[in-house]
């Protein structure tokens, strides 16, 4: 995100209507030496020190860029730990993170205009020639519309913008004839099929070669997208239209923005995180300024700056008023529910909100920008980097840090707006931390855990596109630049778009007269360029006075002393137990609960009830943590109960001698093939996978290929199991509960959740069977070896033709003197094999997890297979990423299970009529559930 100055607009002067945004902006109108830079005691940084730091930024960029070109190009990204390129399909999938990769030399395109900002014009000219010569945009690959727009389309447009600027100057790029713009237009047309929806919101993914709905596209089945994904298109698409004179791109981007605006929650004026692209219903109804929404707000304000359309400013002001009313809790920015905005939706913040102080600078609201930025800086000083997420008491929530640039971005804007040398010192800290903790021989590596300093083999393209750009501009003086940065606006990926586009090829109506708008009180500003005396009322220490109370905000909240409950479980203090991490089978967790005064009561139906008595806590701090834990558990349970329930599915055994007579009630999955849309279902023979838990690469893929994989529940997320068997060639999957004796007769159905990431890469159907129903299939395999099943949304008519043929064959065989008798006995469905006893607390808990129903006064405790963000409707608590004790030795458990099951099969059999009677009950129960429309 960035801003630039308005040409010819001086403080206090009224400009043309298209320049109205400058009444909001401070950047570009304040030089780095104004206001505070000369303040007594401000500790101004010498010009020599600034030059030294600027040179250090250039050296760091060279280290990253040269290693990418040497070890990775033409791959999309550099893997700095192994010194090689990341090519999609050749490395293990990272889920939706890989959707940014399209085999189009992503890092080089994303870095083009950075080269010019850093005065590397020769390298820029060489890079442009490589892009024109080597990059292919017609790849058969599915990519994120959002990432491809901001990184690739934005990179091409930014490269074109500075290329024509250099050509105009007469020294470089004299040969350039708009080749990057032609590539941008080609890419724009490849993204347009994603907008083929009734709402105008784009699909989240598109195939560069085949579009969306083509049979070979492998996408187009998604129903949801994030608000930022659909609302962060207008700058690039409008610029493409203005550059080329082709209006369709700007029209599509405007339509998407208009639809989101119309779907805002009218009473709060907030928008949710994810929205259904067909109906416009909000899927995730929490609202904040971080991941999933962030750049939507940014692009509303910047669209006004670039395009001069008043409606965009009106929308931004409406949203901003709601943000400051509900989400802003200085210095924190906490997500709330859009329908109940006074209720916080979570107790942690993600690192992407670090862009927001910079956006507030554009708005001209400096005080809260300073407050939030200072809070974030205190977190960085404690952990060296900003964790991906941290709690309201500044503990690490998600420990990764992929070298994100948002904090550097806000630092740059605050320095330009205030001139306070304090922000130069902040930038110096960022440089030192990058060199000390992230620098490796082949570039800079993302932090896997900011607490331990461990690295991840990852250097995202945005690190080169944004981080070095903002750091260099922070220390650069105007004479250090070869062009005026104030003539450009930065996109969310920090790509440069020239402001003169606002008056070029204007083919779109500026005002949406159908949009309802409530005028806000904007009396603090006139429709003029900003007056520095308004922003900083004659006080050279204005910014310092705001920061001072926040200097120790993290240290006051985060260190809790080593007398807390965790001390007895290890050396030194540990973070408090979070509801989302709790596992009832973990003895350490149970001990922590006891210290916090929380009692665990096991209910008859397998659930657990949590009750806190503060007087029983080991200390007041532990009681406080216990209260927070209970609040988190209640909050998660409440949210999970509200999830929409999917109907049950069916697993029908169709092979000999069942022929569809056996129908097992199965739980659906929130990911993979939607069986309700594939009436034929998925039919195939079943095969048991190795390892049986499915949590790592399948070692018997030849046995699984083109079959429906059977696996045991536990040890990892459901989505991870699905990805592993899909990779092995399975056409479907059945997860069997390892909780001894569980049955759909006594437990409600549930839905398998994802893993908190995008699961659109999972295309096979996945179903869940309780232990009793699962053992019916396992026992059938032991008896008949080849067992074929049908996975469907409801039971199909049994295969009468095959059944009649089998009966005739049996009658003929009965007349043969030496014929073998057809098996007439089978195991009783209720006589399931004994599972190894986990012992202790684990055995007592059984598995109070997503299979257990929710209630208002208790919370079922989930297992490792659950999604922390998308719990099923029958769940009532947070997920549990750790393994249970009985899961710790899956191979031994599997062997023992098979041994015990065989013993039962040999010693405890019943006539087929008996087992068929049980199966008929299952069929009747399933039919009854269908009638009830569960």
């Amino acid at each position: 995100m960035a801003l630039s100055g308005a040409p010819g607009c001086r403080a206090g002067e009224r400009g043309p209507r298209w320049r109205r945004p400058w009444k909001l902006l401070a950047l570009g109108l304040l030089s780095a030496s104004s206001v505070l830079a000369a303040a007594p005691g401000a500790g101004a940084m010498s010009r020599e020190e600034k030059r030294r730091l600027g040179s250090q930024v250039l050296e760091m960029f060279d280290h990253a860029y040269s290693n990418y070109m040497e070890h990775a190009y033409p791959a999309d990204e550099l893997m700095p730990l192994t010194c090689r390129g990341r090519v999609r399909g050749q490395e293990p999938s990272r889920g939706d993170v890989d959707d940014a990769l399209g085999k189009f030399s992503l890092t080089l395109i994303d870095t083009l205009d950075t080269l010019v900002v850093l005065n590397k014009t020769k390298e820029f000219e060489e890079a442009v020639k490589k892009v024109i010569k080597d990059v292919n945009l017609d790849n058969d690959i599915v990519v994120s519309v959002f990432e491809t727009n901001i990184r690739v389309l934005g990179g091409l447009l930014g490269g074109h913008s500075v290329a024509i600027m250099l050509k105009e100057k007469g020294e470089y790029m004299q040969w350039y004839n708009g080749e990057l713009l032609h590539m941008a237009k080609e890419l724009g047309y490849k993204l347009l099929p994603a907008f083929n929806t009734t709402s105008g919101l784009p699909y989240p993914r598109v195939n560069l070669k085949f579009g969306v709905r083509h049979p070979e596209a492998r996408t187009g089945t998604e129903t949801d997208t994030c608000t930022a994904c659909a609302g962060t298109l207008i700058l690039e698409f409008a610029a493409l239209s203005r550059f080329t004179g082709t209006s369709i791109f700007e029209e599509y981007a405007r339509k998407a923005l208009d639809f989101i605006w119309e779907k805002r929650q009218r009473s709060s004026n907030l928008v949710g995180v994810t929205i259904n692209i067909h109906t416009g219903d909000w899927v995730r109804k929490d609202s904040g300024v971080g991941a999933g929404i962030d750049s939507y707000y940014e692009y509303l304000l910047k669209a006004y700056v670039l395009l001069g359309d008043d409606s965009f400013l009106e929308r931004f002001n409406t949203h901003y008023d709601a943000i400051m009313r509900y989400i802003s809790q200085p210095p924190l920015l906490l997500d709330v529910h859009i329908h109940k905005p006074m209720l916080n939706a979570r107790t942690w913040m993600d690192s992407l909100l670090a862009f927001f102080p910079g956006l507030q600078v554009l708005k001209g609201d400096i005080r809260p920008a300073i407050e939030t930025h200072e809070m974030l800086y205190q977190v960085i000083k404690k952990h060296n980097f900003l964790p991906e997420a941290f709690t309201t008491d500044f503990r690490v929530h998600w420990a990764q840090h992929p070298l994100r640039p948002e904090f550097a971005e806000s630092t740059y804007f605050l320095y330009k707006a205030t001139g306070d040398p304090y922000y130069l010192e902040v930038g110096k800290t960022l440089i030192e931390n990058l060199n000390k903790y992230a620098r490796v021989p082949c570039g800079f590596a993302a932090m896997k855990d900011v607490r331990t300093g461990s690295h991840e083999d990852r250097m995202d393209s945005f690190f080169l596109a944004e981080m070095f750009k903002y750091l260099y501009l922070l220390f650069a003086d105007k004479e250090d630049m070869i062009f005026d940065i104030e003539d450009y606006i930065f996109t969310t990926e920090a790509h440069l778009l020239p402001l003169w586009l606002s008056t070029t090829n204007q083919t779109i109506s500026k005002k949406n007269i159908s949009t309802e708008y409530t005028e806000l009180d904007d009396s603090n500003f006139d429709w003029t360029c900003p007056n520095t005396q308004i922003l900083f009322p004659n006080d050279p220490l204005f910014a310092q006075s705001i920061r001072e109370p926040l200097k120790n905000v993290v240290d006051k909240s985060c260190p809790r002393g080593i007398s807390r409950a965790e001390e007895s479980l290890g050396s030194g203090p540990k973070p408090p137990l979070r509801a989302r991490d709790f596992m009832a089978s973990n003895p350490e967790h149970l001990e922590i609960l006891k210290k916090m005064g929380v009692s665990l009561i096991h209910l008859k139906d397998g659930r657990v009830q949590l009750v806190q008595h503060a007087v029983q806590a080991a200390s007041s701090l532990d009681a406080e943590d216990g209260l927070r834990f209970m609040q988190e558990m209640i909050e998660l349970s409440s949210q999970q109960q509200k999830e929409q329930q999917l109907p049950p599915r069916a697993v029908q055994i169709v092979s000999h001698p069942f022929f569809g007579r056996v129908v097992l009630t199965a739980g659906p999955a929130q990911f993979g093939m939607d069986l309700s849309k594939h009436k034929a279902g998925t039919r195939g023979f079943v095969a048991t996978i190795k390892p049986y838990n499915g949590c790592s690469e399948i070692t018997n893929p030849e046995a699984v290929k083109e079959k429906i994989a059977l696996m045991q529940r536990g040890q990892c997320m459901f989505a991870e199991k699905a990805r592993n068997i899909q990779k092995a060639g399975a056409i479907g999957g059945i997860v069997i509960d390892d909780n001894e004796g569980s049955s759909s007769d006594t437990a409600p159905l549930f839905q398998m959740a994802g893993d908190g990431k995008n699961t659109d890469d999972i295309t096979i159907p996945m179903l869940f069977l309780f232990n009793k129903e699962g053992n019916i299939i396992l026992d059938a395999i032991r008896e008949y070896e080849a067992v074929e099943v049908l996975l469907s949304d409801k039971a199909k008519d049994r295969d009468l033709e095959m059944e009649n043929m089998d009966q005739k064959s049996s009658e003929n065989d009965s007349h043969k003197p030496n014929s073998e008798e057809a098996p007439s006995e089978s195991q009783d469905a209720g006589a399931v094999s004994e599972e190894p006893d986990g012992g202790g607390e684990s055995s007592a808990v059984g598995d109070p997890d997503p299979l257990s129903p929710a209630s208002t006064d208790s919370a079922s405790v989930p297992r490792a297979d659950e999604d922390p963000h998308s719990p099923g409707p029958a769940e009532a608590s947070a997920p549990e990423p750790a393994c249970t004790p009985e899961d710790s030795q899956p191979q031994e458990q599997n062997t023992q299970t098979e041994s015990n099951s065989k013993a039962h099969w040999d010693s405890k059999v019943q006539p087929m009529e008996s087992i068929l009677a049980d199966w008929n009950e299952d069929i009747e129960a399933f039919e009854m559930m269908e009638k009830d429309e569960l």
Side-chain angles (χ1 to χ4, degrees), residues 483-687:
F483 66 100
D484 190 352
I485 196 70
E486 308 297 346
D487 291 339
Y488 297 83
I489 190 167
F490 286 168
T491 69
T492 194
E493 191 78 2
H495 293 307
L496 297 169
L497 298 177
L499 290 172
W500 53 258
L501 287 175
S502 59
T503 56
T504 303
N505 291 323
Q506 298 183 60
T507 59
I508 310 296
S509 173
K510 286 186 178 182
K511 187 72 176 178
N512 180 3
I513 58 176
S514 65
T515 299
E516 180 182 337
Y517 168 64
T518 302
E519 185 72 32
L520 297 177
D521 179 15
D522 204 18
S523 57
N524 288 335
F525 298 96
D526 295 322
W527 288 105
T528 61
C529 299
N531 185 323
T532 58
Q533 298 305 309
I534 295 176
L535 296 177
F536 315 104
N538 298 315
D539 184 0
L541 300 179
F542 174 75
Q544 181 180 338
S545 66
I546 298 174
R547 288 192 305 265
E548 197 61 36
L550 302 170
K551 286 293 184 183
N552 300 314
V553 64
V554 173
D555 289 334
K556 286 180 179 178
S557 301
C558 198
R560 305 296 297 273
I562 59 174
S563 61
R564 60 184 317 105
E566 297 91 331
E567 182 184 19
S568 62
L569 303 174
S571 56
K574 295 181 181 179
L577 180 63
R578 309 308 301 256
R580 68 186 301 273
D581 300 325
F582 174 62
M583 181 171 60
S585 56
N586 187 324
E588 290 189 0
H589 289 182
L590 297 176
E591 183 64 23
I592 292 174
L593 287 190
K594 184 178 179 181
K595 296 282 186 179
M596 294 190 301
V598 178
S599 302
L600 190 77
I601 303 172
H602 299 276
L603 305 179
K604 292 181 180 180
D605 59 6
R607 294 175 297 153
V608 293
Q609 184 176 8
L610 301 174
V611 180
Q612 191 204 22
H613 300 281
V615 293
Q616 297 178 4
S619 68
S620 59
L621 290 177
D622 293 317
E624 180 185 339
D625 286 341
L627 178 60
R628 183 181 296 109
F629 176 85
M630 294 295 292
Q631 290 173 336
E632 289 180 1
M633 189 66 76
I634 293 171
E635 178 183 328
L636 289 169
S637 299
S638 175
Q639 291 177 4
Q640 293 164 1
Q641 283 179 308
K642 295 176 183 178
E643 293 290 328
Q644 182 180 2
Q645 184 170 357
L646 296 174
R649 306 297 188 216
V651 176
Q652 195 168 7
I653 307 180
V654 296
S655 57
H656 165 85
F658 310 99
F659 302 113
R661 290 181 302 220
V662 178
V663 181
L664 307 175
T665 303
Q670 295 177 344
F671 52 85
M673 179 190 292
D674 185 352
L675 291 171
S676 66
K677 298 179 181 179
H678 296 77
K679 298 302 181 183
T682 297
R683 180 169 177 165
F685 288 91
V686 295

Side-chain angles (χ1 to χ4, degrees), residues 256-457:
L257 274 180
D258 290 346
F259 190 82
I260 294 174
W261 170 250
E262 293 298 329
K263 292 298 179 180
R264 74 193 185 281
Q265 211 292 319
R266 297 304 178 102
S267 62
S268 67
N269 281 319
L270 295 172
V271 293
V273 175
T274 55
I275 188 172
N276 186 296
I277 59 176
H278 303 296
T279 66
D281 295 332
W282 291 109
V283 180
R284 277 188 55 190
K285 300 178 179 65
D286 44 321
S287 183
V289 296
I293 303 181
D294 48 2
S295 49
Y296 162 69
Y297 296 132
E298 177 186 352
Y299 270 38
L300 284 178
L301 182 55
K302 289 185 176 181
Y304 172 55
V305 174
L306 183 64
L307 306 178
D309 188 333
D310 289 352
S311 67
F312 290 131
L313 180 62
E314 292 167 356
R315 296 178 191 183
F316 174 79
N317 279 341
T318 301
H319 286 314
Y320 188 79
D321 179 71
I323 290 168
M324 300 309 291
R325 187 186 305 270
Y326 303 120
I327 295 171
S328 177
Q329 301 175 37
L332 309 180
L333 293 163
L334 294 177
D335 283 19
V336 299
H337 297 281
I338 59 175
H339 297 288
K340 297 181 179 179
M342 300 307 293
L343 178 64
N344 289 340
R346 62 189 189 191
T347 58
W348 49 273
M349 296 166 281
D350 66 74
S351 62
L352 286 172
L353 61 76
F355 92 100
F356 197 67
L359 186 63
Q360 290 178 306
V361 170
L362 273 90
K363 166 67 176 170
D365 200 359
I366 304 297
R367 176 181 290 274
I370 293 172
E371 291 174 336
T372 299
H373 180 275
E374 182 62 24
M375 176 270 293
L376 295 171
Y377 184 44
Q378 297 301 321
V379 175
I380 289 174
K381 289 204 291 187
K382 186 169 188 63
H383 300 292
N384 302 317
F385 298 99
L386 197 61
E388 276 291 78
F390 54 94
T391 63
T392 53
D393 53 356
F394 308 110
R395 296 185 177 95
V396 173
H397 188 66
W398 296 334
Q400 307 95 322
H401 174 73
L403 307 182
R404 294 198 184 277
E406 285 77 14
F407 181 78
E409 173 186 352
S410 289
T411 301
Y412 164 64
F413 290 139
L414 275 168
Y415 175 64
K416 295 295 287 184
T418 66
D420 190 340
Y422 175 83
Y423 296 108
L424 297 177
E425 295 297 332
V426 173
K428 180 179 179 180
T429 300
L430 298 182
I431 292 173
E432 291 173 348
N433 288 349
L434 284 171
N435 277 323
K436 185 174 181 179
Y437 301 108
R439 187 167 183 145
V440 294
C442 284
F444 291 83
M447 306 305 296
K448 188 174 184 179
D449 192 319
V450 298
R451 297 165 298 191
T452 64
S454 58
H455 288 129
E456 189 176 353
D457 201 3

Side-chain angles (χ1 to χ4, degrees), residues 21-43:
W22 309 118
K23 64 94 181 180
L24 299 173
L25 309 180
L27 222 60
L29 301 168
L30 296 172
S31 68
S33 60
S34 67
V35 186
L36 296 176

Side-chain angles (χ1 to χ4, degrees), residues 682-833:
T682 297
R683 180 169 177 165
F685 288 91
V686 295
T688 303
I689 62 172
K690 296 180 181 178
Y692 192 32
N693 57 42
C695 293
S696 57
E697 185 175 354
I698 307 305
T699 59
N700 60 334
E702 68 288 342
V704 176
K705 189 175 182 180
E706 299 301 322
K707 294 183 180 178
I708 294 174
L710 299 178
M711 69 211 78
Q712 187 182 48
R713 183 169 183 243
Q715 290 192 270
C716 63
M717 297 295 208
F718 290 123
E720 183 177 349
K721 298 174 188 286
R723 291 189 178 100
N724 288 333
I725 64 170
Q726 180 174 282
K727 184 178 179 181
I731 60 174
I734 298 175
V735 179
I736 299 176
D737 187 21
D738 61 346
N739 194 20
E740 171 72 11
S742 64
S743 169
S744 62
D745 296 337
T746 57
L749 263 290
F750 82 111
Q751 51 188 330
M752 293 186 287
D755 55 2
K757 305 174 183 177
N758 190 288
T759 53
D760 290 334
D761 59 311
I762 302 173
T763 58
I764 61 174
M766 292 288 291
L767 295 180
F768 184 95
L769 289 179
F770 285 101
N771 187 265
K772 173 188 172 181
E773 287 78 12
N775 274 321
I776 291 176
I777 294 183
L778 295 175
D779 293 340
I781 293 175
R782 298 185 185 100
E783 179 69 9
Y784 303 107
E785 295 186 356
V787 175
E788 188 178 22
V789 302
L790 173 67
L791 311 183
S792 61
D793 63 329
K794 59 183 179 180
K796 312 298 181 186
D797 292 336
R798 67 177 190 264
D799 198 336
L800 296 176
E801 181 180 348
M802 289 298 295
E803 186 175 353
N804 291 334
M805 290 176 59
D806 185 76
Q807 289 176 350
K808 291 179 181 178
S809 175
S810 298
E811 290 173 2
N812 292 334
D813 290 343
S814 66
H815 297 295
K816 297 179 182 179
N818 296 325
S819 65
E820 296 181 0
E821 294 185 5
S824 60
E825 296 182 332
S826 180
Q827 178 189 23
D828 176 49
V832 294
S833 59

